[in-house]
Amino acid sequence: MHVPVTRRTTVVATFVRTAVLALLLALAVTGLSARPAAAAEGDVAWTVRTASNSFGADRSSYSYAVNPGGKVEDAMVVANRGKAPVDLGVYAADGFTTDKGQLDLLPADKKSRAIGVWARAARERVVVQPGRTVEVPFTLAIPANATPGDYVGGILTSLTQPDDAQGINVDRRLGIKIKLRVSGAIKPTLAVEDLHVSYGGTAAPFSKGDATVTYRIRNTGNAIMSTRQSVKLKGLFGWFAVTGGKTATPPELLPGESWKVSVPVHDVAPAVRLTATVTLTPLFTDASGSTTQLKTVQSTAHTWAFPWTLSALVLVLLALAVAAFLHTRRTRTKRKAAEDARVRTAVEQALREA
């Protein structure tokens, strides 16, 4: 997997750098293929590809399984397709997953902790003449105390050019992905974190409303993981169950990474107490490339979902019923008191006449 990325170091406004990064990140996507990745601007154009050796030919990226304390020697081929010599920096960097779910590599001014430290090119700079290729060897040396598990990074070439119009330097990068599995106990695990459910309610007394379930999927193990996911909502006593809407498939997560998910759930009955259940089906790919479905992971959260409009209507009807009952009782009491008074008066009058 080739990872071409262009980065600008600003000497003017921060928003210019941000805009350029966004534009060039889109260019990076086009280089993620099995063909040599290329970068071109004016008379400057170069490509990178994996070298053909004992690891194979026409590889789309580098992939190794190494014991702690082990070492790998490989090479990258840089070709100049332009009309002028190209002077490139060469370095390694750790990989990470962007907010858009794409693999990227740390820039040179960001500190790497794994592959970016363990991989070293035979030279820090390479000059390639027009129409020529240069093979750049590199060594990947794994520390003896390296933690077992999966690591992702890359070997990069970098060209820095001034942009007089913008008053900034343009750092254009082109690299190849390195995927490493350090031998040892592999523990593929995922977890659901920060699970919340909110209910929007509805003004109509007998209608259903919408809910939103949000959470984070975190890779808590030491292997690269992907997953399938599902969300369900149930009311009190498990009534009125409904399934959440479709969401985009999460990207593969590197160990320690997380991915935020928001799932809309429609036609939810205001069944007093809602229970949201998130189910993850972790998918683990072993060294042979075989994918295994692991034991599902579940997490639940709750929220109140009273049918407020209906409840208010019921309260109003109940209040009217109570008022009518009290009015009837007062009327009856008055009538009884009047009748009792009439009887007493009649008795007293009869006694006087006797």
Side-chain angles (χ1 to χ4, degrees), residues 224-240:
I224 297 174
M225 297 290 292
S226 57
T227 185
R228 292 194 296 267
Q229 59 186 334
S230 65
V231 173
K232 288 187 177 181
L233 273 181
K234 294 181 179 180
L236 198 64
F237 308 120
W239 295 343
F240 309 111

Side-chain angles (χ1 to χ4, degrees), residues 13-95:
T14 302
F15 76 90
V16 174
R17 177 175 180 267
T18 304
V20 172
L21 279 170
L23 173 63
L24 294 172
L25 182 59
L27 295 177
V29 178
T30 64
L32 302 181
S33 66
R35 294 174 294 178
E41 183 174 315
D43 292 334
V44 179
W46 82 97
T47 65
V48 294
R49 68 176 187 272
T50 59
S52 297
N53 50 34
S54 59
F55 289 106
D58 298 324
R59 294 171 291 166
S60 62
S61 61
Y62 303 105
S63 183
Y64 312 109
V66 188
N67 293 325
K71 182 186 294 185
V72 172
E73 294 182 351
D74 210 328
M76 174 175 61
V77 177
V78 184
N80 186 351
R81 309 300 186 191
K83 300 177 182 180
V86 59
D87 184 0
L88 303 169
V90 183
Y91 65 96
D94 287 352

